[in-house]
Amino acid sequence: MDFPAWQLWILAAIIAGALEIALPGFVMLWFCAGGLVASLAAALGLGINVQLTLFTLVSVALFGASRTIFKKALMRNAANVKLGVEAMVGQEAIVTESLIEGHGGTVRINGELWSARSLGEPVPAGERVIVEQVEGLKLWVRRPAASLEVPLKKKEGT
């Protein structure tokens, strides 16, 4: 039984596609694309050398460009993502042990207890604070900015 070359390239592309599904990473996907291009070349009647060259060039080019392709398509905001300790800066924490000037205290942030010091006046337990800086295992915190709202006074006699 003699199969035309384009059918063999399609079969190779299907096998590479199935392997892509079964294996982690994006490697076999590019061989699948290369096989499809080579099958097109075979269907057009181009020789085996041209088919192999197209298969190799397309597969290698897509493999080399895949980092750029995926970074642009899937990781647009990745540079803005903060992880670990740097993600705590700007977040709210709750004082669990009063922050006394010169001695510090303890705050709870993200379910964890951290040693903290106040950047301003002492802060009593139970109050919310904002993390301004992380220095080793110590957080430097401040009270949130006071609200600018002024309560309206009721006029007497109304």
PDB file of all heavy atoms in Angstrom, residues 9 12 27-41 47-65:
ATOM      1  N   TRP A   9       2.624  13.281   5.906  1.00  0.00           N
ATOM      2  CA  TRP A   9       2.881  14.491   6.687  1.00  0.00           C
ATOM      3  C   TRP A   9       1.682  14.833   7.582  1.00  0.00           C
ATOM      4  O   TRP A   9       1.859  15.263   8.724  1.00  0.00           O
ATOM      5  CB  TRP A   9       3.205  15.671   5.768  1.00  0.00           C
ATOM      6  CG  TRP A   9       4.611  15.637   5.248  1.00  0.00           C
ATOM      7  CD1 TRP A   9       4.992  15.463   3.953  1.00  0.00           C
ATOM      8  CD2 TRP A   9       5.807  15.792   6.010  1.00  0.00           C
ATOM      9  NE1 TRP A   9       6.362  15.491   3.858  1.00  0.00           N
ATOM     10  CE2 TRP A   9       6.883  15.699   5.113  1.00  0.00           C
ATOM     11  CE3 TRP A   9       6.086  15.992   7.362  1.00  0.00           C
ATOM     12  CZ2 TRP A   9       8.216  15.807   5.516  1.00  0.00           C
ATOM     13  CZ3 TRP A   9       7.404  16.099   7.757  1.00  0.00           C
ATOM     14  CH2 TRP A   9       8.459  15.997   6.852  1.00  0.00           C
ATOM     15  N   ALA A  12       1.892  12.533  10.475  1.00  0.00           N
ATOM     16  CA  ALA A  12       2.938  12.999  11.392  1.00  0.00           C
ATOM     17  C   ALA A  12       2.438  14.189  12.215  1.00  0.00           C
ATOM     18  O   ALA A  12       2.706  14.289  13.423  1.00  0.00           O
ATOM     19  CB  ALA A  12       4.191  13.373  10.613  1.00  0.00           C
ATOM     20  N   VAL A  27       6.076  21.961  22.912  1.00  0.00           N
ATOM     21  CA  VAL A  27       7.167  21.592  22.024  1.00  0.00           C
ATOM     22  C   VAL A  27       6.621  20.904  20.785  1.00  0.00           C
ATOM     23  O   VAL A  27       6.919  21.289  19.662  1.00  0.00           O
ATOM     24  CB  VAL A  27       8.190  20.684  22.746  1.00  0.00           C
ATOM     25  CG1 VAL A  27       9.277  20.242  21.799  1.00  0.00           C
ATOM     26  CG2 VAL A  27       8.791  21.405  23.941  1.00  0.00           C
ATOM     27  N   MET A  28       5.823  19.885  20.984  1.00  0.00           N
ATOM     28  CA  MET A  28       5.310  19.092  19.861  1.00  0.00           C
ATOM     29  C   MET A  28       4.341  19.885  18.988  1.00  0.00           C
ATOM     30  O   MET A  28       4.152  19.566  17.821  1.00  0.00           O
ATOM     31  CB  MET A  28       4.637  17.812  20.369  1.00  0.00           C
ATOM     32  CG  MET A  28       5.580  16.886  21.122  1.00  0.00           C
ATOM     33  SD  MET A  28       7.068  16.459  20.203  1.00  0.00           S
ATOM     34  CE  MET A  28       6.394  15.483  18.883  1.00  0.00           C
ATOM     35  N   LEU A  29       3.761  20.936  19.542  1.00  0.00           N
ATOM     36  CA  LEU A  29       2.843  21.775  18.777  1.00  0.00           C
ATOM     37  C   LEU A  29       3.523  22.344  17.541  1.00  0.00           C
ATOM     38  O   LEU A  29       2.936  22.402  16.464  1.00  0.00           O
ATOM     39  CB  LEU A  29       2.318  22.906  19.668  1.00  0.00           C
ATOM     40  CG  LEU A  29       1.382  23.912  19.038  1.00  0.00           C
ATOM     41  CD1 LEU A  29       0.080  23.236  18.644  1.00  0.00           C
ATOM     42  CD2 LEU A  29       1.122  25.053  19.993  1.00  0.00           C
ATOM     43  N   TRP A  30       4.782  22.727  17.683  1.00  0.00           N
ATOM     44  CA  TRP A  30       5.508  23.337  16.576  1.00  0.00           C
ATOM     45  C   TRP A  30       5.855  22.298  15.503  1.00  0.00           C
ATOM     46  O   TRP A  30       5.896  22.632  14.315  1.00  0.00           O
ATOM     47  CB  TRP A  30       6.747  24.050  17.085  1.00  0.00           C
ATOM     48  CG  TRP A  30       6.419  24.933  18.251  1.00  0.00           C
ATOM     49  CD1 TRP A  30       7.068  24.976  19.447  1.00  0.00           C
ATOM     50  CD2 TRP A  30       5.356  25.884  18.364  1.00  0.00           C
ATOM     51  NE1 TRP A  30       6.470  25.882  20.282  1.00  0.00           N
ATOM     52  CE2 TRP A  30       5.411  26.465  19.647  1.00  0.00           C
ATOM     53  CE3 TRP A  30       4.349  26.308  17.503  1.00  0.00           C
ATOM     54  CZ2 TRP A  30       4.521  27.427  20.079  1.00  0.00           C
ATOM     55  CZ3 TRP A  30       3.450  27.266  17.942  1.00  0.00           C
ATOM     56  CH2 TRP A  30       3.542  27.822  19.209  1.00  0.00           C
ATOM     57  N   PHE A  31       6.091  21.051  15.919  1.00  0.00           N
ATOM     58  CA  PHE A  31       6.324  19.990  14.930  1.00  0.00           C
ATOM     59  C   PHE A  31       5.033  19.658  14.190  1.00  0.00           C
ATOM     60  O   PHE A  31       5.053  19.301  13.015  1.00  0.00           O
ATOM     61  CB  PHE A  31       6.911  18.749  15.595  1.00  0.00           C
ATOM     62  CG  PHE A  31       8.291  18.990  16.149  1.00  0.00           C
ATOM     63  CD1 PHE A  31       8.521  19.015  17.509  1.00  0.00           C
ATOM     64  CD2 PHE A  31       9.363  19.214  15.295  1.00  0.00           C
ATOM     65  CE1 PHE A  31       9.782  19.247  18.010  1.00  0.00           C
ATOM     66  CE2 PHE A  31      10.633  19.458  15.783  1.00  0.00           C
ATOM     67  CZ  PHE A  31      10.844  19.477  17.151  1.00  0.00           C
ATOM     68  N   CYS A  32       3.923  19.789  14.880  1.00  0.00           N
ATOM     69  CA  CYS A  32       2.615  19.609  14.245  1.00  0.00           C
ATOM     70  C   CYS A  32       2.421  20.661  13.150  1.00  0.00           C
ATOM     71  O   CYS A  32       2.033  20.336  12.023  1.00  0.00           O
ATOM     72  CB  CYS A  32       1.518  19.707  15.300  1.00  0.00           C
ATOM     73  SG  CYS A  32      -0.151  19.584  14.647  1.00  0.00           S
ATOM     74  N   ALA A  33       2.725  21.915  13.459  1.00  0.00           N
ATOM     75  CA  ALA A  33       2.602  22.990  12.471  1.00  0.00           C
ATOM     76  C   ALA A  33       3.571  22.771  11.306  1.00  0.00           C
ATOM     77  O   ALA A  33       3.213  22.971  10.132  1.00  0.00           O
ATOM     78  CB  ALA A  33       2.856  24.344  13.125  1.00  0.00           C
ATOM     79  N   GLY A  34       4.787  22.344  11.616  1.00  0.00           N
ATOM     80  CA  GLY A  34       5.762  22.050  10.566  1.00  0.00           C
ATOM     81  C   GLY A  34       5.294  20.931   9.661  1.00  0.00           C
ATOM     82  O   GLY A  34       5.484  20.977   8.434  1.00  0.00           O
ATOM     83  N   GLY A  35       4.664  19.911  10.241  1.00  0.00           N
ATOM     84  CA  GLY A  35       4.124  18.802   9.449  1.00  0.00           C
ATOM     85  C   GLY A  35       3.008  19.252   8.524  1.00  0.00           C
ATOM     86  O   GLY A  35       2.900  18.782   7.382  1.00  0.00           O
ATOM     87  N   LEU A  36       2.174  20.166   8.993  1.00  0.00           N
ATOM     88  CA  LEU A  36       1.090  20.681   8.149  1.00  0.00           C
ATOM     89  C   LEU A  36       1.634  21.480   6.963  1.00  0.00           C
ATOM     90  O   LEU A  36       1.137  21.368   5.836  1.00  0.00           O
ATOM     91  CB  LEU A  36       0.126  21.526   8.977  1.00  0.00           C
ATOM     92  CG  LEU A  36      -0.695  20.760  10.017  1.00  0.00           C
ATOM     93  CD1 LEU A  36      -1.514  21.727  10.868  1.00  0.00           C
ATOM     94  CD2 LEU A  36      -1.596  19.734   9.351  1.00  0.00           C
ATOM     95  N   VAL A  37       2.676  22.286   7.207  1.00  0.00           N
ATOM     96  CA  VAL A  37       3.290  23.056   6.123  1.00  0.00           C
ATOM     97  C   VAL A  37       3.955  22.106   5.117  1.00  0.00           C
ATOM     98  O   VAL A  37       3.836  22.277   3.903  1.00  0.00           O
ATOM     99  CB  VAL A  37       4.296  24.089   6.684  1.00  0.00           C
ATOM    100  CG1 VAL A  37       5.113  24.726   5.574  1.00  0.00           C
ATOM    101  CG2 VAL A  37       3.561  25.158   7.478  1.00  0.00           C
ATOM    102  N   ALA A  38       4.633  21.072   5.646  1.00  0.00           N
ATOM    103  CA  ALA A  38       5.276  20.103   4.756  1.00  0.00           C
ATOM    104  C   ALA A  38       4.235  19.324   3.948  1.00  0.00           C
ATOM    105  O   ALA A  38       4.472  18.988   2.777  1.00  0.00           O
ATOM    106  CB  ALA A  38       6.147  19.149   5.573  1.00  0.00           C
ATOM    107  N   SER A  39       3.080  19.044   4.548  1.00  0.00           N
ATOM    108  CA  SER A  39       2.033  18.334   3.797  1.00  0.00           C
ATOM    109  C   SER A  39       1.494  19.203   2.672  1.00  0.00           C
ATOM    110  O   SER A  39       1.170  18.713   1.589  1.00  0.00           O
ATOM    111  CB  SER A  39       0.899  17.902   4.731  1.00  0.00           C
ATOM    112  OG  SER A  39       0.125  19.006   5.131  1.00  0.00           O
ATOM    113  N   LEU A  40       1.410  20.510   2.914  1.00  0.00           N
ATOM    114  CA  LEU A  40       0.984  21.427   1.857  1.00  0.00           C
ATOM    115  C   LEU A  40       1.996  21.429   0.712  1.00  0.00           C
ATOM    116  O   LEU A  40       1.614  21.407  -0.466  1.00  0.00           O
ATOM    117  CB  LEU A  40       0.805  22.837   2.435  1.00  0.00           C
ATOM    118  CG  LEU A  40       0.362  23.917   1.453  1.00  0.00           C
ATOM    119  CD1 LEU A  40      -1.022  23.596   0.902  1.00  0.00           C
ATOM    120  CD2 LEU A  40       0.356  25.267   2.128  1.00  0.00           C
ATOM    121  N   ALA A  41       3.297  21.433   1.076  1.00  0.00           N
ATOM    122  CA  ALA A  41       4.345  21.391   0.048  1.00  0.00           C
ATOM    123  C   ALA A  41       4.265  20.089  -0.741  1.00  0.00           C
ATOM    124  O   ALA A  41       4.434  20.086  -1.973  1.00  0.00           O
ATOM    125  CB  ALA A  41       5.719  21.540   0.700  1.00  0.00           C
ATOM    126  N   GLY A  47       9.453  18.557  -4.007  1.00  0.00           N
ATOM    127  CA  GLY A  47      10.275  17.396  -3.681  1.00  0.00           C
ATOM    128  C   GLY A  47      10.454  17.184  -2.183  1.00  0.00           C
ATOM    129  O   GLY A  47      10.161  18.058  -1.356  1.00  0.00           O
ATOM    130  N   ILE A  48      10.981  16.005  -1.837  1.00  0.00           N
ATOM    131  CA  ILE A  48      11.173  15.643  -0.427  1.00  0.00           C
ATOM    132  C   ILE A  48      12.162  16.567   0.268  1.00  0.00           C
ATOM    133  O   ILE A  48      12.001  16.878   1.455  1.00  0.00           O
ATOM    134  CB  ILE A  48      11.593  14.156  -0.287  1.00  0.00           C
ATOM    135  CG1 ILE A  48      11.617  13.712   1.183  1.00  0.00           C
ATOM    136  CG2 ILE A  48      12.953  13.915  -0.914  1.00  0.00           C
ATOM    137  CD1 ILE A  48      10.270  13.628   1.816  1.00  0.00           C
ATOM    138  N   ASN A  49      13.182  17.037  -0.450  1.00  0.00           N
ATOM    139  CA  ASN A  49      14.154  17.964   0.158  1.00  0.00           C
ATOM    140  C   ASN A  49      13.475  19.279   0.559  1.00  0.00           C
ATOM    141  O   ASN A  49      13.752  19.834   1.622  1.00  0.00           O
ATOM    142  CB  ASN A  49      15.319  18.225  -0.792  1.00  0.00           C
ATOM    143  CG  ASN A  49      16.227  17.017  -0.928  1.00  0.00           C
ATOM    144  OD1 ASN A  49      16.243  16.147  -0.051  1.00  0.00           O
ATOM    145  ND2 ASN A  49      16.970  16.959  -2.024  1.00  0.00           N
ATOM    146  N   VAL A  50      12.604  19.776  -0.282  1.00  0.00           N
ATOM    147  CA  VAL A  50      11.869  21.011   0.027  1.00  0.00           C
ATOM    148  C   VAL A  50      10.923  20.769   1.200  1.00  0.00           C
ATOM    149  O   VAL A  50      10.814  21.606   2.099  1.00  0.00           O
ATOM    150  CB  VAL A  50      11.097  21.515  -1.214  1.00  0.00           C
ATOM    151  CG1 VAL A  50      10.228  22.711  -0.867  1.00  0.00           C
ATOM    152  CG2 VAL A  50      12.049  21.851  -2.340  1.00  0.00           C
ATOM    153  N   GLN A  51      10.274  19.629   1.215  1.00  0.00           N
ATOM    154  CA  GLN A  51       9.352  19.294   2.307  1.00  0.00           C
ATOM    155  C   GLN A  51      10.090  19.240   3.637  1.00  0.00           C
ATOM    156  O   GLN A  51       9.632  19.810   4.640  1.00  0.00           O
ATOM    157  CB  GLN A  51       8.672  17.950   2.029  1.00  0.00           C
ATOM    158  CG  GLN A  51       7.768  17.931   0.828  1.00  0.00           C
ATOM    159  CD  GLN A  51       7.322  16.532   0.477  1.00  0.00           C
ATOM    160  OE1 GLN A  51       7.184  15.678   1.335  1.00  0.00           O
ATOM    161  NE2 GLN A  51       7.082  16.295  -0.817  1.00  0.00           N
ATOM    162  N   LEU A  52      11.232  18.539   3.659  1.00  0.00           N
ATOM    163  CA  LEU A  52      12.019  18.425   4.905  1.00  0.00           C
ATOM    164  C   LEU A  52      12.559  19.786   5.344  1.00  0.00           C
ATOM    165  O   LEU A  52      12.580  20.097   6.537  1.00  0.00           O
ATOM    166  CB  LEU A  52      13.157  17.422   4.721  1.00  0.00           C
ATOM    167  CG  LEU A  52      12.744  15.956   4.639  1.00  0.00           C
ATOM    168  CD1 LEU A  52      13.928  15.081   4.262  1.00  0.00           C
ATOM    169  CD2 LEU A  52      12.143  15.502   5.966  1.00  0.00           C
ATOM    170  N   THR A  53      12.989  20.583   4.368  1.00  0.00           N
ATOM    171  CA  THR A  53      13.494  21.922   4.701  1.00  0.00           C
ATOM    172  C   THR A  53      12.387  22.789   5.286  1.00  0.00           C
ATOM    173  O   THR A  53      12.592  23.464   6.307  1.00  0.00           O
ATOM    174  CB  THR A  53      14.084  22.591   3.439  1.00  0.00           C
ATOM    175  OG1 THR A  53      15.125  21.762   2.929  1.00  0.00           O
ATOM    176  CG2 THR A  53      14.645  23.965   3.759  1.00  0.00           C
ATOM    177  N   LEU A  54      11.212  22.777   4.664  1.00  0.00           N
ATOM    178  CA  LEU A  54      10.089  23.558   5.192  1.00  0.00           C
ATOM    179  C   LEU A  54       9.673  23.071   6.580  1.00  0.00           C
ATOM    180  O   LEU A  54       9.410  23.877   7.476  1.00  0.00           O
ATOM    181  CB  LEU A  54       8.893  23.496   4.243  1.00  0.00           C
ATOM    182  CG  LEU A  54       8.986  24.379   3.004  1.00  0.00           C
ATOM    183  CD1 LEU A  54       7.836  24.093   2.054  1.00  0.00           C
ATOM    184  CD2 LEU A  54       8.986  25.842   3.412  1.00  0.00           C
ATOM    185  N   PHE A  55       9.612  21.757   6.754  1.00  0.00           N
ATOM    186  CA  PHE A  55       9.269  21.185   8.058  1.00  0.00           C
ATOM    187  C   PHE A  55      10.240  21.675   9.128  1.00  0.00           C
ATOM    188  O   PHE A  55       9.831  22.144  10.191  1.00  0.00           O
ATOM    189  CB  PHE A  55       9.287  19.651   7.992  1.00  0.00           C
ATOM    190  CG  PHE A  55       9.145  18.990   9.327  1.00  0.00           C
ATOM    191  CD1 PHE A  55       7.910  18.920   9.948  1.00  0.00           C
ATOM    192  CD2 PHE A  55      10.244  18.449   9.978  1.00  0.00           C
ATOM    193  CE1 PHE A  55       7.757  18.319  11.187  1.00  0.00           C
ATOM    194  CE2 PHE A  55      10.108  17.844  11.216  1.00  0.00           C
ATOM    195  CZ  PHE A  55       8.866  17.781  11.823  1.00  0.00           C
ATOM    196  N   THR A  56      11.534  21.592   8.823  1.00  0.00           N
ATOM    197  CA  THR A  56      12.558  22.002   9.793  1.00  0.00           C
ATOM    198  C   THR A  56      12.492  23.496  10.069  1.00  0.00           C
ATOM    199  O   THR A  56      12.519  23.923  11.234  1.00  0.00           O
ATOM    200  CB  THR A  56      13.952  21.610   9.270  1.00  0.00           C
ATOM    201  OG1 THR A  56      13.968  20.206   9.015  1.00  0.00           O
ATOM    202  CG2 THR A  56      15.033  21.963  10.278  1.00  0.00           C
ATOM    203  N   LEU A  57      12.422  24.311   9.017  1.00  0.00           N
ATOM    204  CA  LEU A  57      12.411  25.765   9.198  1.00  0.00           C
ATOM    205  C   LEU A  57      11.192  26.235   9.995  1.00  0.00           C
ATOM    206  O   LEU A  57      11.313  27.052  10.911  1.00  0.00           O
ATOM    207  CB  LEU A  57      12.459  26.474   7.842  1.00  0.00           C
ATOM    208  CG  LEU A  57      13.791  26.413   7.092  1.00  0.00           C
ATOM    209  CD1 LEU A  57      13.664  27.057   5.723  1.00  0.00           C
ATOM    210  CD2 LEU A  57      14.886  27.089   7.907  1.00  0.00           C
ATOM    211  N   VAL A  58      10.026  25.728   9.631  1.00  0.00           N
ATOM    212  CA  VAL A  58       8.805  26.149  10.332  1.00  0.00           C
ATOM    213  C   VAL A  58       8.837  25.696  11.787  1.00  0.00           C
ATOM    214  O   VAL A  58       8.541  26.480  12.699  1.00  0.00           O
ATOM    215  CB  VAL A  58       7.545  25.613   9.605  1.00  0.00           C
ATOM    216  CG1 VAL A  58       6.304  25.785  10.461  1.00  0.00           C
ATOM    217  CG2 VAL A  58       7.375  26.306   8.272  1.00  0.00           C
ATOM    218  N   SER A  59       9.225  24.464  12.038  1.00  0.00           N
ATOM    219  CA  SER A  59       9.261  23.941  13.411  1.00  0.00           C
ATOM    220  C   SER A  59      10.247  24.702  14.277  1.00  0.00           C
ATOM    221  O   SER A  59       9.930  25.117  15.394  1.00  0.00           O
ATOM    222  CB  SER A  59       9.630  22.455  13.399  1.00  0.00           C
ATOM    223  OG  SER A  59       8.673  21.707  12.701  1.00  0.00           O
ATOM    224  N   VAL A  60      11.458  24.919  13.757  1.00  0.00           N
ATOM    225  CA  VAL A  60      12.491  25.629  14.530  1.00  0.00           C
ATOM    226  C   VAL A  60      12.115  27.091  14.724  1.00  0.00           C
ATOM    227  O   VAL A  60      12.288  27.652  15.820  1.00  0.00           O
ATOM    228  CB  VAL A  60      13.870  25.473  13.851  1.00  0.00           C
ATOM    229  CG1 VAL A  60      14.898  26.388  14.475  1.00  0.00           C
ATOM    230  CG2 VAL A  60      14.336  24.027  13.934  1.00  0.00           C
ATOM    231  N   ALA A  61      11.586  27.740  13.691  1.00  0.00           N
ATOM    232  CA  ALA A  61      11.201  29.152  13.812  1.00  0.00           C
ATOM    233  C   ALA A  61      10.093  29.338  14.838  1.00  0.00           C
ATOM    234  O   ALA A  61      10.158  30.251  15.676  1.00  0.00           O
ATOM    235  CB  ALA A  61      10.764  29.692  12.454  1.00  0.00           C
ATOM    236  N   LEU A  62       9.081  28.489  14.799  1.00  0.00           N
ATOM    237  CA  LEU A  62       7.994  28.603  15.774  1.00  0.00           C
ATOM    238  C   LEU A  62       8.470  28.262  17.180  1.00  0.00           C
ATOM    239  O   LEU A  62       8.060  28.898  18.155  1.00  0.00           O
ATOM    240  CB  LEU A  62       6.815  27.705  15.373  1.00  0.00           C
ATOM    241  CG  LEU A  62       6.002  28.191  14.183  1.00  0.00           C
ATOM    242  CD1 LEU A  62       4.960  27.158  13.792  1.00  0.00           C
ATOM    243  CD2 LEU A  62       5.346  29.521  14.497  1.00  0.00           C
ATOM    244  N   PHE A  63       9.326  27.271  17.290  1.00  0.00           N
ATOM    245  CA  PHE A  63       9.871  26.918  18.604  1.00  0.00           C
ATOM    246  C   PHE A  63      10.663  28.091  19.170  1.00  0.00           C
ATOM    247  O   PHE A  63      10.523  28.443  20.344  1.00  0.00           O
ATOM    248  CB  PHE A  63      10.752  25.669  18.509  1.00  0.00           C
ATOM    249  CG  PHE A  63      11.334  25.246  19.815  1.00  0.00           C
ATOM    250  CD1 PHE A  63      10.540  24.622  20.758  1.00  0.00           C
ATOM    251  CD2 PHE A  63      12.664  25.479  20.115  1.00  0.00           C
ATOM    252  CE1 PHE A  63      11.060  24.231  21.975  1.00  0.00           C
ATOM    253  CE2 PHE A  63      13.194  25.100  21.330  1.00  0.00           C
ATOM    254  CZ  PHE A  63      12.391  24.461  22.263  1.00  0.00           C
ATOM    255  N   GLY A  64      11.489  28.725  18.346  1.00  0.00           N
ATOM    256  CA  GLY A  64      12.282  29.868  18.798  1.00  0.00           C
ATOM    257  C   GLY A  64      11.428  31.079  19.137  1.00  0.00           C
ATOM    258  O   GLY A  64      11.726  31.829  20.060  1.00  0.00           O
ATOM    259  N   ALA A  65      10.356  31.275  18.395  1.00  0.00           N
ATOM    260  CA  ALA A  65       9.493  32.435  18.619  1.00  0.00           C
ATOM    261  C   ALA A  65       8.434  32.194  19.685  1.00  0.00           C
ATOM    262  O   ALA A  65       7.766  33.134  20.106  1.00  0.00           O
ATOM    263  CB  ALA A  65       8.801  32.824  17.314  1.00  0.00           C
TER     264      ALA A  65
END
